[in-house]
Amino acid sequence: MYRIVKKESLNPTVTLMEVEAPLIAKKAEPGQFIILRVDSNGERIPLTIADFNRATGTVTIIYQIVGATTQALDHLKEGENIQDFAGPLGRPTETEDFKKVAVVGGGVGCAIAYPVAKKLYEQGCEVHSITGFRNKELVILEEEFKKVSNKLVLMTDDGSYGTKGLVTDALKTLIESGEKYDAVITIGPLIMMKFVCALTKEYQIKTLASMNPIMIDGTGMCGGCRLSVGGKTKFACVDGPDFDGHEIDFDEALTRSSIYKPFERRAHEEVCHLYEMEVK
Amino acid sequence: MVINMDVLKRIPVKEQDPKVRARNFEEVCLGYDKEEAMEEASRCLKCKNAKCITGCPVSIDIPGFIKAVEAGDIEEAYQVISKYSALPAVCGRVCPQETQCEQRCIRAIKGESVSIGKLERFVADWARVNDVKPEAAKEKKSQKVAVIGSGPAGLTCAGDLAKMGYDVTIFEALHEPGGVLVYGIPEFRLPKDTVVKSEIENVKALGVKIETNVVIGKSTTIDELMEEEGFEAVFVGSGAGLPKFMGIPGENANGVFSANEYLTRSNLMKAFDENYDTPIAAGQKVAVVGGGNVAMDAARTALRLGAQVYIVYRRSEEELPARVEEVHHAKEEGVILKLLTNPTEILVDDNGWVKGMKCIEMELGEADASGRRRPVEKPDSEFELEVDTVIMSLGTSPNPLISSTTTGLDINKYRCIIANEENGQTTKEGVFAGGDAVTGAATVILAMGAGKAAAKGIDEYLQNK
Ligand SMILES: Cc1cc2nc3c(=O)[nH]c(=O)nc-3n(C[C@H](O)[C@H](O)[C@H](O)COP(=O)(O)OP(=O)(O)OC[C@H]3O[C@@H](n4cnc5c(N)ncnc54)[C@H](O)[C@@H]3O)c2cc1C
Ligand SMILES: Cc1cc2nc3c(=O)[nH]c(=O)nc-3n(C[C@H](O)[C@H](O)[C@H](O)COP(=O)(O)OP(=O)(O)OC[C@H]3O[C@@H](n4cnc5c(N)ncnc54)[C@H](O)[C@@H]3O)c2cc1C
Ligand code: SF4
Ligand code: FES
């Protein structure tokens, strides 16, 4: 059992939790994730380690409420326990060798991008962060990003906060204005990452995309998380989750992410209206 | 009650009706009752030089326990078996007895062999119902041993070491201990809540601690366990859980699964049960590619989830590596065997879902090095099989997570850990290994045998340390 020591709502659909998991906190590196199970009838879901504190032995997760499991998780209160919490899984994000990087996050993907930006910044790398949200209501981690970025561009689809437009617009503007990046690291919805990668390919900038396929075990034993990268089959949970964005077959990944849509049984009746209203 | 008295024939065992069981997840074989077991036990000749024992990988005193069954002293029979095996209720159900103990039984020369597996199962089930437990160690030692993986190899090694008095902790990556026994072999062959859980409880009752959700190689490493956590020896029983794919076009389409994924969803996550959250894309027309136990289990699971199921296998029925009993059960339940057939491509519809599978017919050619006749393609014999789901069951190999994070632990070209067969010693001092992690996918009883041998090896190592 893993105790929730802090719970905080970041926006109407995104929650932060700090969980007691000393073994994981001791080892975690940015880019890695955990797999949790809320209760004994629950499903295993992957969530990125958004932050960790080796001294207090806690791990922070930030999740968006999209279906039955994230909803069940959100019903737990501070002081209550999560049944299973395994990790750290996956490979850490490759952050060495970079002097100047653009970190591009979309929606809840910003939670995953944040620890990466932080690590890069602490290593002395120049970090330009671009974060994108649908609207002002959904903005998360603005202060946190400011602290670890030499430049922060905040975008909203509807212009209700920051600059109006998509993250790709902001990235393109920066590149065209003469910024030279060693790498772009992008984390967010598949469709966003697909377009970020298409853009950086034009300019031949090395790009890492953090993939989020459906996972079960997260240890490499089922292949449910497989992707095509450079024509080869890779298991995101052990070979990734980061891959060379110019090699990923995004269309296949988009198709595969919908496999269980027709089968999400408990989700159907219970899916909260938040999802319908705020996320869609 | 008069039961079948033809001594050449075994006492038949009750089974669920094929039509009924093809739609439920309850156990197929119902097992003997005490009367039937005693009757079957009386068929055993109690040979002095019992051949059956030589066919058992852990050398259970078979005539010894059968004698106790015949006399009606089931508790005694259980204590005899417990000396050799930690998981009798499991082995009685899933061992391929037809190629082990029962194949060598003297009765098999003329007539049917003694039903050793069903008797072992009866004894273990009786012990569970009557709450008879194996005995724990009287004296404790202070030395700590870590066991990685809680499959049959790890459980056996841990149980044996605990009986010798060592302080043993098992580290398991998943949230539930048992290895293939919980995530692979389905409920209808091996009930989880009764049989598997209680055998694991027995191992815990010996004093073994089990820590779940610990992925060695990620959460912590073998080097750290030995250098920082004070473990003086380690046993690696991490199995061979990495699935293979064929590399044919269309394999990443929606509706193509590894047998591991399909079975893990159904068994470990209980996707077949409405009360659990994990979904499963069961399929209406399913092709399972492969012919081993895993393929049979995946096929019979799909059938129970309501599908029409084909097994697609490139050799003939004779070469099917699955247990005869399971092939027989699968056929009875309505699984269709498409033998001498090999897939060449998975056909995908506009939405990215499987709509069929292109196959080619095969014929058996010359025998290869292993003595099996090699399948060769029949020219111009391609055809399409209309299916919406494909389950790849082509075998598995050991996961490199452990070998790649442990200094000095060598593997061979099949990625299996190199270990001495006699005592499990690997190329790294103090680290022992056994089971599928060493042999590649094999059997429960071989994994147990390896766990046992390694426990002895570890004991010798620690005593001389
Ligand atoms: C390595 C990795 C790291 C992740 N990190 C985070 C994170 O830090 N924060 C966060 O909010 N989410 C993260 N995700 C996504 C998260 O796992 C899913 O949102 C979650 O599994 C949905 O579970 P659910 O039961 O609530 O929803 P479900 O009922 O399972 O699904 C609801 C909707 O989400 C879609 N969905 C299901 N699984 C995934 C998935 N793995 N990725 C994307 N969409 C999915 C479904 O198709 C459906 O439309 C991560 C995924 C991976 C693979
Ligand atoms: C579907 C199926 C049906 C089968 N049917 C039969 C049958 O009828 N008869 C028969 O004799 N055999 C059968 N087998 C084979 C048999 O189950 C295996 O040979 C046996 O389970 C091997 O035991 P093991 O202990 O070596 O490994 P496993 O049972 O695979 O256990 C390994 C354990 O280690 C854990 N692990 C792996 N990596 C790590 C890590 N890094 N850190 C921590 N833990 C880790 C795994 O999660 C797992 O729990 C079947 C196998 C399958 C898949
Ligand atoms: S070989 Fe057969 S008859 Fe002889 S002891 Fe073994 S089980 Fe009994
Ligand atoms: S989630 Fe099973 S192999 Fe990656």
Side-chain angles (χ1 to χ4, degrees), chain B residues 213-356:
Chain B
N213 296 323
V214 182
V215 186
I216 303 295
K218 288 285 175 192
S219 315
T220 180
T221 62
I222 291 184
D223 291 347
E224 286 169 337
L225 287 176
M226 299 184 82
E227 283 154 29
E228 295 166 26
E229 307 290 332
F231 287 96
E232 297 192 39
V234 175
F235 174 75
V236 184
S238 53
L242 193 73
K244 293 191 184 121
F245 288 92
M246 292 188 85
I248 57 174
E251 220 171 2
N252 288 348
N254 286 5
V256 184
F257 304 97
S258 73
N260 265 14
E261 177 179 352
Y262 202 79
L263 289 169
T264 299
R265 283 180 182 274
S266 180
N267 297 326
L268 178 70
M269 306 311 298
K270 301 205 186 325
F272 67 84
D273 184 332
E274 289 288 318
N275 296 315
Y276 288 77
D277 293 349
T278 303
I280 189 164
Q284 314 249 293
K285 278 193 167 184
V286 176
V288 179
V289 182
N293 281 322
V294 184
M296 295 302 146
D297 285 346
R300 296 170 69 200
T301 297
L303 197 80
R304 283 161 171 75
L305 293 169
Q308 184 196 324
V309 185
Y310 301 101
I311 291 254
V312 176
Y313 180 60
R314 64 198 181 116
R315 300 182 198 247
S316 66
E317 182 158 355
E318 226 170 279
E319 284 88 6
L320 279 173
R323 291 191 59 193
V324 176
E325 179 176 329
E326 304 312 331
V327 177
H328 173 72
H329 279 151
K331 285 207 278 191
E332 268 185 346
E333 287 164 12
V335 171
I336 303 160
L337 299 187
K338 285 240 171 254
L339 300 161
L340 290 165
T341 303
N342 209 25
T344 53
E345 183 183 345
I346 289 160
L347 305 165
V348 185
D349 72 12
D350 295 339
N351 298 318
W353 280 84
V354 174
K355 66 171 182 192

Side-chain angles (χ1 to χ4, degrees), chain A residues 197-211:
Chain A
C197 293
L199 176 73
T200 57
K201 194 163 186 176
E202 278 175 42
Y203 296 95
Q204 298 189 335
I205 307 169
K206 177 182 171 116
T207 303
L208 293 177
S210 179
M211 300 300 283

Side-chain angles (χ1 to χ4, degrees), chain A residues 44 219 221-222 226 255 265, chain B residues 175 251 254 258 260 271 399:
Chain A
R44 294 169 68 95
T219 63
M221 76 169 215
C222 75
R226 67 194 189 276
T255 306
R265 51 169 96 95
Chain B
H175 58 263
E251 220 171 2
N254 286 5
S258 73
N260 265 14
N399 192 320

Side-chain angles (χ1 to χ4, degrees), chain B residues 43-47 50-53 62-63 66 101 104-107 114 116:
Chain B
R43 291 184 58 234
C44 170
L45 305 170
K46 322 287 168 338
C47 309
K51 285 274 185 293
C52 53
I53 301 181
I62 293 167
I66 293 187
C101 55
R104 310 233 182 140
C105 172
I106 222 83
R107 278 256 179 239
V114 175
I116 303 169

Side-chain angles (χ1 to χ4, degrees), chain A residues 214-225 235 237:
Chain A
I214 289 165
M215 292 186 179
I216 306 110
D217 57 298
T219 63
M221 76 169 215
C222 75
C225 64
F235 290 5
C237 69

Side-chain angles (χ1 to χ4, degrees), chain A residues 182-198:
Chain A
D182 299 327
V184 171
I185 298 178
T186 180
I187 305 165
L190 278 173
I191 194 77
M192 178 202 99
M193 293 195 284
K194 175 180 165 173
F195 285 111
V196 168
C197 293

